[in-house]
Amino acid sequence: AADDAPLAGDAGAPEEWSAPPRSLAKQQPPLFGLKARPERATLELSWGETALPDEPTPDEASSYNPWFGAVSTWRSTGANTTKRQKIVLVGGMPRSGTTLLEAFLSSHRDDISTLKFDATSRTMEGLLLEGMTDALPEYGGSGNSFKSMCEIDTTNGELKRRGVHLKDHSAKMQSKFRQKSWQGWSSWDFKKPILMEKDPPNLLRMRFMQQVFGQTHDVFAIFTMKHPMEIGSRYECDPTSKTRFEIVGNWLNCQRLWLKDLQYIKNYLIIPYEAWFLRTKETMSAIHSFLNLRSGSKADLPRRLSLWNHTSGFLLRRDAFAMCNRKFKAAFQLPHLHVRAYTRHLKVFGYDLSDSSKFTKPDDFDLCVLDGK
C-alpha cells in the first residue's frame, strides 16, 4: 500500500529535507533485518524469549533476589505464563531520541507497563525516582559538550567519570541494585508482559543490567543513536566551532565503548533517530517484531508526518529532523575544517559527516540481535 512507504515532504517540512521517492524506498533493503515471528497464538517460545523460571532454587533463595516477586505475580495472571516477563531497557546518548522512543512504547498500554512519575516531572528516567538517585553513580548528562559523560582517561581507555560504564561488576553490587530497583520501580504493573524503563546511561550499563535482571526476566535492550552534528539542541550547529568538534569527539568516545559491549548483549535493537523520518513504518514494525507485541500501537502511521501527536505523548515532527543540516553544509567546502578528521570514524556508525539527513546500515554491527545472533 502507498502508506507503507515513506511519505513525500509537505509544506511543514524544512527545505533541506524531503522523504525518498516511493520508488526508491521500495528498492531499499530492510534496515533492521527482522523476519516474521511465530504467531502469538502459539505457546512456542519466539526469538529472544525463554521459559518462565521455576520457583527459586535454594541458592537463588539464599541470594534473596526480590524480583522473583515479579515472577510470582506474572505467573498468577495465567496469561501465557510459559514465557518469562520481559524487561525492556532503553538507553542512548542524551538528546538522541530516548524520550521519543519511550513515548512510542508507552502507547502500547495493553502490553507494556511504564514507571509512574509525579505529574510535575519533566524527565521520565527510572534513576530519578525516589529511592533510586543513589542506586548508581550520576552519569553527567550532556553538559560541557558531553564531556561530563564521555571524556576518556587516556591512561586506561575508560571514561573519566567512574560508574558511567558498568560491565561485569560484583555480585554484591548487583544484589544492591536489585534491592533498590525492587523498591524504586514498584509502580510497574507486574501483570503486564513487558516492563519498560528509560535512562540514557543504560547505553553503557546494559551488560550490568542484563546480569541484574537475567535471573528472573528476559532482558531486551533498545538503544537510540543520533548524528553527532545534530545531537545536543543547546549547542550551536556551526561545524567550524570548537564546541561542535568536541561534541563529535565525545560522542565517539561513548559510542565506541558501547560498540564493544554489544557483543555481550543477548537481545538488542538499535533505533537511529533518523530512521523515524526516513523509514517510519519500518521502524515501528521493527519495534513490534523485536518485542513480539500482541497488539500494534494505539496510533497508526498518518498520511502526513508534519505533526504526529497523541494523548500518549508521542510526537514526531519533521522540523525536528536534520535541523542543522542546511546551516552547516556550506561549511564543509572550507579547506581547513577540523571536524572533517572524524569522517571515517562516523561511517562506522552509518553516518555521513557532511549530511546529517542520511543514515546507512552499518557494516560493522547489526541493528538487531536476538538470542545473541
Side-chain angles (χ1 to χ4, degrees):
D3 283 349
D4 289 342
L7 307 181
D10 59 32
E15 289 182 18
E16 70 273 21
W17 179 81
S18 61
R22 290 191 178 98
S23 59
L24 176 61
K26 290 180 179 179
Q27 296 172 13
Q28 293 176 317
L31 184 61
F32 299 97
L34 281 162
K35 300 177 182 177
R37 285 176 169 275
E39 291 294 327
R40 285 285 303 208
T42 71
L43 296 181
E44 298 177 5
L45 298 175
S46 187
W47 302 322
E49 298 176 341
T50 56
L52 190 71
D54 297 326
E55 294 296 329
T57 65
D59 286 343
E60 291 167 340
S62 66
S63 70
Y64 185 50
N65 184 346
W67 284 94
F68 275 105
V71 176
S72 297
T73 302
W74 172 235
R75 182 183 283 112
S76 71
T77 65
N80 195 8
T81 50
T82 60
K83 300 179 181 182
R84 287 192 184 203
Q85 195 173 46
K86 294 183 180 77
I87 287 184
V88 174
L89 299 168
V90 173
M93 290 286 289
R95 313 289 180 180
S96 67
T98 56
T99 300
L100 179 67
L101 174 60
E102 179 205 26
F104 176 76
L105 292 171
S106 298
S107 70
H108 298 73
R109 298 185 185 91
D110 293 340
D111 282 326
I112 300 177
S113 174
T114 57
L115 294 168
K116 304 298 186 293
F117 292 84
D118 186 273
T120 60
S121 178
R122 298 182 61 186
T123 307
M124 310 298 187
E125 297 176 7
L127 290 180
L128 296 182
L129 284 168
E130 184 177 354
M132 293 299 293
T133 54
D134 62 345
L136 292 173
E138 294 184 5
Y139 71 97
S142 60
N144 198 16
S145 304
F146 294 84
K147 184 177 180 180
S148 299
M149 176 181 178
C150 298
E151 185 179 12
I152 287 287
D153 183 343
T154 56
T155 62
N156 58 19
E158 272 291 341
L159 299 179
K160 278 192 174 181
R161 183 179 284 266
R162 295 175 63 101
V164 177
H165 188 206
L166 298 179
K167 297 181 285 187
D168 303 320
H169 280 68
S170 67
K172 182 178 179 180
M173 186 174 181
Q174 294 173 37
S175 178
K176 177 185 175 182
F177 189 81
R178 288 188 189 109
Q179 306 297 328
K180 286 272 190 181
S181 58
W182 178 245
Q183 297 296 323
W185 295 348
S186 60
S187 62
W188 267 336
D189 181 354
F190 296 119
K191 294 182 179 180
K192 295 286 182 70
I194 299 174
L195 312 174
M196 189 268 289
E197 186 269 341
K198 183 265 287 189
D199 259 300
N202 285 340
L203 176 77
L204 297 174
R205 293 171 172 172
M206 206 60 75
R207 290 172 64 180
F208 172 75
M209 293 295 191
Q210 193 171 249
Q211 290 184 324
V212 166
F213 296 112
Q215 192 178 45
T216 55
H217 289 76
D218 286 331
V219 178
F220 280 63
I222 306 184
F223 300 107
T224 60
M225 192 166 64
K226 189 175 184 180
H227 197 297
M229 295 300 289
E230 296 281 345
I231 201 168
S233 56
R234 71 166 82 174
Y235 298 109
E236 59 184 328
C237 294
D238 184 5
T240 66
S241 70
K242 180 181 178 183
T243 297
R244 188 53 63 176
F245 179 77
E246 291 176 346
I247 287 173
V248 178
N250 288 321
W251 185 94
L252 283 167
N253 289 342
C254 275
Q255 295 290 164
R256 284 167 176 156
L257 289 175
W258 163 78
L259 195 55
K260 291 179 180 179
D261 285 349
L262 271 188
Q263 61 184 307
Y264 301 101
I265 307 303
K266 181 181 177 184
N267 303 305
Y268 74 76
L269 176 66
I270 301 165
I271 302 294
Y273 179 82
E274 298 76 15
W276 287 112
F277 300 87
L278 300 174
R279 305 280 193 98
T280 309
K281 192 70 175 287
E282 185 185 348
T283 300
M284 293 173 62
S285 297
I287 296 170
H288 291 160
S289 182
F290 176 68
L291 296 179
N292 204 7
L293 293 172
R294 294 180 301 184
S295 60
S297 170
K298 298 296 183 185
D300 294 324
L301 181 66
R303 293 188 177 278
R304 288 167 59 86
L305 290 181
S306 58
L307 182 65
W308 190 355
N309 193 2
H310 312 287
T311 55
S312 64
F314 184 65
L315 179 69
L316 186 61
R317 296 178 59 98
R318 274 187 170 164
D319 58 6
F321 175 65
M323 296 170 63
C324 292
N325 205 37
R326 181 173 56 184
K327 297 179 181 179
F328 66 57
K329 260 191 172 181
F332 280 92
Q333 308 304 317
L334 299 175
H336 304 294
L337 187 64
H338 295 304
V339 76
R340 192 179 285 117
Y342 291 128
T343 300
R344 176 173 54 86
H345 304 286
L346 292 190
K347 283 184 178 179
V348 172
F349 297 93
Y351 288 120
D352 181 337
L353 181 67
S354 64
D355 190 346
S356 61
S357 68
K358 294 180 179 179
F359 179 80
T360 305
K361 190 174 182 179
D363 292 328
D364 291 9
F365 58 94
D366 293 315
L367 293 180
C368 181
V369 162
L370 287 158
D371 286 329
K373 56 182 181 294

